[in-house]
Amino acid sequence: MSGNVQLLNDTLAAARSEGRSALIAYLPAGFPSVDGGIEAVKAALDGGADVVEVGLPHSDPVLDGPVIQTADDIALKGGVRIADVMRTVREAHAATGKPILVMTYWNPIDRYGVERFTAELADAGGAGCILPDLPVQESAPWREHADKHGLATVFVVAPSSKDARLAEITAAGSGFVYAASLMGVTGTRESVGAQAEDLVRRTRATTDLPVCVGLGVSNAAQAAEVAGFADGVIVGSAFVKRMLDAPDEAAGLEGVRALAADLAKGVRGKA
C-alpha cells in the first residue's frame, strides 16, 4: 500500500490557493493514553488543523522542550510502542481523511528497521516523516524506502544553516521543509521574531517545496504573524499544554479543539 505524500502535497497546495498558510499541529502518540492521544489528534483536525504531526515518544528528545518532554514521559511510562504510533496514524487518518505525519528521532526507526517502519506507516495511511536528527548525507537508505512507499521525508533547517547547507537539505527533502524559527528547543515564546522570516526567505531561494515554521507559535496572533511569510504554521507545545493543564481528558480535548479553531482563524488572517 502506498502512503499519502500526494494528499500532503495537495493539502498544502489547497491552502496556498486559498491565500493562506496551512495549520500543522503536533501531538505525541500515547498521551495522555493511546486512546486519548488518538482523540486529541482528531480534535485538532476537527478544530481546524490541516495536517497533524504525531510524535513518537523518545527518552532523549533533543529538539523538544519541557512541555513535550513531560508528555513523552507520560506516554513512555504508559508503555507506548511503535505499534501504538501506527494505530494513532491509522485511526486519525481514517476518521478525518487528513494527512498525518510521524515526527521521530532516528534511533527508534533504526532499531525497528527502515523497511518495516516505512511499510507499516504507508499501510496506516501516513503521509511521511519529520526526522530532525537524521543527517541528510546519511539519509539515502531512508529516502529510498520512503519514496518506494509514497512517504514524504521532511528535514529541519535552522537559522544557523548556511545557504549551501540549506540547498543540500532541501534538495533531499519532500513534502515540505520544517523551518525552526530559532535556535533552541520547542516551547511557547512571546515572539517568533525576524529570524524565522529571514530563514524562510533563504530557504525559499533553494526550493519550490512549501516552507513551514515551527518552534514558538502558541496563539492566533503569532500564527497570523508567521502566516504572513510562511507556507505553514506548526504548533506543538501549546496543544500539549492544553492537555497537560486540563482537569480531565474531556476538558483537554475541548481545549485542543478550541485552540485549533483559534489558530485556524490566525492563519486565515481573521485573528
Side-chain angles (χ1 to χ4, degrees):
M1 180 172 175
S2 182
N4 274 313
V5 63
Q6 192 58 50
L7 175 63
L8 175 65
N9 295 341
D10 291 347
T11 299
L12 295 172
R16 178 180 285 183
S17 73
E18 294 170 16
R20 65 174 180 90
S21 285
L23 174 60
I24 303 174
Y26 166 95
L27 286 155
F31 168 75
S33 62
V34 175
D35 289 343
I38 292 167
E39 292 307 311
V41 172
K42 292 195 289 192
L45 291 165
D46 290 343
D50 298 289
V51 180
V52 165
E53 306 170 7
V54 171
L56 194 160
H58 189 51
S59 56
D60 186 25
V62 292
L63 186 70
D64 296 311
V67 170
I68 291 173
Q69 284 187 26
T70 299
D72 276 7
D73 285 344
I74 291 168
L76 290 167
K77 285 173 183 170
V80 71
R81 296 288 182 265
I82 288 178
D84 301 313
V85 177
M86 298 300 177
R87 181 183 154 216
T88 302
V89 172
R90 182 185 305 279
E91 294 193 16
H93 173 65
T96 65
K98 293 187 177 182
I100 316 288
L101 299 113
V102 169
M103 184 163 184
T104 178
Y105 298 95
W106 180 246
N107 181 258
I109 294 178
D110 193 38
R111 291 176 61 187
Y112 197 73
V114 175
E115 170 58 24
R116 181 184 176 195
F117 190 94
T118 51
E120 289 183 8
L121 182 56
D123 186 63
C129 253
I130 301 161
L131 300 158
D133 67 340
L134 176 63
V136 169
Q137 60 269 29
E138 298 173 19
S139 68
W142 161 267
R143 288 186 284 124
E144 178 185 342
H145 289 291
D147 290 348
K148 181 172 78 171
H149 289 291
L151 300 169
T153 298
V154 178
F155 289 113
V156 179
V157 298
S160 60
S161 302
K162 305 296 185 192
D163 290 353
R165 178 68 174 156
L166 288 176
E168 182 184 8
I169 292 169
T170 59
S174 56
F176 63 90
V177 182
Y178 187 128
S181 65
L182 40 78
M183 301 304 293
V185 297
T186 58
T188 60
R189 301 291 196 285
E190 291 300 312
S191 172
V192 179
Q195 259 191 332
E197 187 167 2
D198 179 63
L199 177 58
V200 170
R201 178 188 58 77
R202 292 194 300 117
T203 304
R204 278 192 176 140
T206 72
T207 184
D208 291 330
L209 289 172
V211 183
C212 303
V213 170
L215 273 66
V217 178
S218 61
N219 58 50
Q222 290 175 332
E225 177 192 353
V226 173
F229 58 81
D231 299 299
V233 179
I234 302 169
V235 181
S237 294
F239 280 113
V240 176
K241 197 167 189 308
R242 291 290 177 108
M243 295 293 292
L244 281 171
D245 291 349
D248 55 52
E249 189 174 301
L253 294 175
E254 189 46 50
V256 166
R257 192 176 288 107
L259 178 59
D262 195 38
L263 293 166
K265 290 177 184 174
V267 300
R268 289 166 172 80
K270 298 176 182 177

